[in-house]
Structure formats: structure tokens, C-alpha cells
Amino acid sequence: MTLAIDPSETSPAPLSDLVARDAREFGVYARTGGWAFGLMVARSVRPGGQGAEETPKVSAKEFAELAGCSPERVMRYYKAWDRAADDGMVPHFEALQPGQEVELPDADVWLSYYVSRNSATSERGTAIAEAAEAEGIRPTKALEVAENPTALRAAILADPSTARAARQALLDRVREDPELQAELARDVVRTDDLKKAVASESRSADRIGYVRQIAETGQVKTPAGQTIDAPVDLRQEAERHLSLIDELEEDENTGEWATEAYDTMKSLVAETVEADPELRVQERRTKFYSSLQKATKVFEELTFDDVQEFVEDDMVERLEELQQAIASCLTALRGAKG
């Protein structure tokens, strides 16, 4: 028994020329990316300064009308090809004729030359593109973010890692932008929570600086303000606390560690002063002189011009008490000296 076989079941259907063309064009673009379109512009749009009678090529405006797009879009491909030609990546416009095929660079390289936004040609856009290249990312990505601040805000609000990246970028920018520094400072002092946080961090930084000074220079300030050489054990303790603080992760709160280190150092410094008779006397002498200078300065700032307009009995009484206190102080000093 012979079975009849339908030819359609054994032979593939004829390949559509349109499908084949699409596949070929897709393959070209998959391999070369924007270079394929750049080549179309480069071989069909005449270079600047070349007249219509000198070449079969057309102007960017005519090419755009034929393509159904804007002349600006055509010129972005034109300029990208021009930059690549200057780098020796592709032939110059003058060496290309309509319909000519050339070997194209890899697709990824195209992104180094093509910028899809008009803002890239502005001074602001150029700066953004250069910064993007320095960071190792495509300029188009940075320009897209810059043109959509609302999207950037949404990402910062929603994603902690984006917020951290934005914070670091802002800090880098602040270091060289005095105007932005002033604006941020105003924002901080006008926001109670931020103001408290800054004060807390500043206090922690000062305390860590006190410990670091002991560890790195081997010198320390006493409570009265003397600068003395720190004993070996005191310096070693400062180094130990400092190493613990330096090992903290960036997102860890250093406040508690800073307070513990600072309090420990202050206590050890006070013990060092008390343990040395000569140093203890010098410390008290320094403290006495400091208090005396402050009291003298305050008294010297009193003015008695037109005092008759505001004088009260309480003022006189207080000055009389002060006079008695000074007299007692002088008696004690003279007695000690004698």
C-alpha cells in the first residue's frame, strides 16, 4: 500500500524576501548598533562646505525629510560619525559614497561617540558627559538623569543605596562649590532635626580629634589648658580607642564610641596631673590665672557712662560684695606669700 505524502509537510515554505531583509538588517544592527545608522547618514549626507553640485549626497535637512525625522536627530548621528572619523575608527565623509559598505566597529563603541540629547551640546551637557566618562559610565545615562530631576528624587526617596550615592556626590560637589555650601548650611540651620544631628556629629568629631591628637602627637591638654607630654600608657590607651573607632563601618554611629574614648582620656589625664606633685601645682596655678584673667576682662568691660540714668541700689550692693570678696582674696594671697 502506497501512502500519498503532502509536499507541504516535507518542504519548508518559501522564505519571504521581506523576512530575509528584516533578518539581515536586524543582524547588522545587533552586531554594530548605532554604527549602521551612522553609516547611512555618513554616506548619504554631504559634509559641510560641499555644494550639491559636487556630490550625489543630500543635506541633513533633505535626508531628515526623506527619513521622516528631525534634522537635529540626523545631525547627532552625523556628529558622532565625525568624532569617530577623527579618532580613526571609521572613514571620513569625503571617502564615502551613497550605498557604500564599510567594516563597522563594535556596537558598544558607538556609545562613546553618540549622545542622544541636545543638552549634550550645551556647556552643561558637556560637563555632565565629561563627568560621566570620568566615572566610567555612558554619557547618555547621566544626561537622562540630569533631564529628569523628579525621577532622581523618586529614586533617592525610595532607595537607600541611591540616597547614599547622591549624598556622596553632593559632598564631592560641595567641596568646590561655595554657593552650594552656603545653601546647604542655611538648610541645615533652618531644620531643627538636621541642626541637632550636625551638632551631635560635630561634638563627636571634636572628641575623636582630642583622642587622635594624643595618639598621633603624644601631647595632651590638661583641664586647665596646659599642653604636656602624654605618658606612654596614656598614649597607648588613646591608640587603642582610636583603632576601635577607625574600624567602625561607615554607616555605624560613632557617637557612643567617641564619648567613651573621650571620657576615658579625660579621666586618665586628670589622674596623670594629680599623680605628679609639680604638675598638680602648675595645673592649679594655670587655672587660677585663667579665672583671674576672665574676671578682670569682665570687670573691665563695665562702663559707667550715663550711669545715673539706670543706677539701682542692687548694683551698688553687688559691687560692694565684690569689693569685699577681692579684699578677702588679697588678704589670703598676701598671707600665703608671707
Side-chain angles (χ1 to χ4, degrees), residues 16 22 27 67 77 92 107 127 131 145 155 182 184 196 236 250 268 276 280-281 296 316:
S16 166
D22 282 349
Y77 281 87
H92 284 281
V145 171
L184 282 177
K196 291 176 183 177
Q236 289 175 345
E250 184 180 351
L268 291 176
D276 185 331
R280 182 171 66 248
V281 171
T296 302
V316 177

Side-chain angles (χ1 to χ4, degrees), residues 91-110:
H92 284 281
F93 298 105
E94 294 80 2
L96 295 172
Q97 295 298 322
Q100 183 177 346
E101 297 291 342
V102 299
E103 186 175 350
L104 297 173
D106 291 339
D108 291 344
V109 183
W110 171 255

Side-chain angles (χ1 to χ4, degrees), residues 47-117:
Q50 195 172 47
E53 67 282 355
E54 303 176 48
T55 174
K57 298 181 180 183
V58 298
S59 67
K61 181 179 180 181
E62 292 175 278
F63 188 87
E65 289 174 352
L66 292 170
C69 66
S70 68
E72 290 77 17
R73 185 174 180 83
V74 172
M75 286 305 298
R76 287 200 287 275
Y77 281 87
Y78 182 96
K79 291 176 181 178
W81 188 277
D82 190 33
R83 287 191 286 269
D86 287 341
D87 287 347
M89 299 293 297
V90 292
H92 284 281
F93 298 105
E94 294 80 2
L96 295 172
Q97 295 298 322
Q100 183 177 346
E101 297 291 342
V102 299
E103 186 175 350
L104 297 173
D106 291 339
D108 291 344
V109 183
W110 171 255
L111 299 174
S112 302
Y113 295 97
Y114 177 76
V115 179
S116 63
R117 288 170 171 76

Side-chain angles (χ1 to χ4, degrees), residues 232-285:
V232 174
D233 58 342
L234 178 61
R235 187 171 184 178
Q236 289 175 345
E237 185 67 9
E239 291 172 349
R240 186 182 72 82
H241 279 280
L242 193 61
S243 66
L244 291 173
I245 293 172
D246 289 342
E247 289 173 4
L248 294 175
E249 297 294 334
E250 184 180 351
D251 57 349
E252 289 189 77
N253 186 0
T254 60
E256 183 178 345
W257 296 83
T259 299
E260 180 182 349
Y262 179 78
D263 290 345
T264 301
M265 290 300 102
K266 294 291 282 188
S267 178
L268 291 176
V269 170
E271 292 175 9
T272 299
V273 171
E274 287 300 314
D276 185 331
E278 183 178 348
L279 185 58
R280 182 171 66 248
V281 171
Q282 181 63 31
E283 179 77 355
R284 292 174 180 174
R285 182 187 295 113

Side-chain angles (χ1 to χ4, degrees), residues 15-221:
L15 182 65
S16 166
D17 290 340
L18 295 176
V19 172
R21 187 186 68 183
D22 282 349
R24 286 193 299 271
E25 291 182 357
F26 179 85
V28 170
Y29 185 77
R31 292 190 302 274
T32 64
W35 292 114
F37 298 115
L39 175 61
M40 295 176 191
V41 172
R43 68 191 181 189
S44 300
V45 175
R46 60 175 178 264
Q50 195 172 47
E53 67 282 355
E54 303 176 48
T55 174
K57 298 181 180 183
V58 298
S59 67
K61 181 179 180 181
E62 292 175 278
F63 188 87
E65 289 174 352
L66 292 170
C69 66
S70 68
E72 290 77 17
R73 185 174 180 83
V74 172
M75 286 305 298
R76 287 200 287 275
Y77 281 87
Y78 182 96
K79 291 176 181 178
W81 188 277
D82 190 33
R83 287 191 286 269
D86 287 341
D87 287 347
M89 299 293 297
V90 292
H92 284 281
F93 298 105
E94 294 80 2
L96 295 172
Q97 295 298 322
Q100 183 177 346
E101 297 291 342
V102 299
E103 186 175 350
L104 297 173
D106 291 339
D108 291 344
V109 183
W110 171 255
L111 299 174
S112 302
Y113 295 97
Y114 177 76
V115 179
S116 63
R117 288 170 171 76
N118 289 329
S119 61
T121 60
S122 66
E123 182 178 347
R124 171 177 176 267
T126 300
I128 293 172
E130 290 175 353
E133 291 175 358
E135 295 289 335
I137 63 173
R138 299 202 306 267
T140 50
K141 288 290 186 183
L143 288 163
E144 182 179 356
V145 171
E147 290 181 2
N148 198 341
T150 303
L152 176 60
R153 171 183 166 82
I156 291 173
L157 291 174
D159 179 40
S161 62
T162 302
R164 283 192 291 270
R167 175 182 63 83
Q168 188 58 57
L170 194 58
L171 286 175
D172 292 341
R173 176 61 185 265
V174 162
R175 292 187 181 98
E176 54 189 42
D177 190 337
E179 186 175 343
L180 183 57
Q181 289 178 14
E183 291 175 359
L184 282 177
R186 285 194 293 268
D187 289 339
V188 168
V189 298
R190 292 170 182 170
T191 308
D192 288 340
D193 290 343
L194 283 178
K195 187 163 60 175
K196 291 176 183 177
V198 169
S200 176
E201 288 299 321
S202 179
R203 185 166 54 254
S204 295
D206 289 342
R207 290 175 171 176
I208 294 173
Y210 178 80
V211 178
R212 193 178 299 279
Q213 174 77 10
I214 300 173
E216 295 181 353
T217 69
Q219 293 188 320
V220 61
K221 276 194 173 183

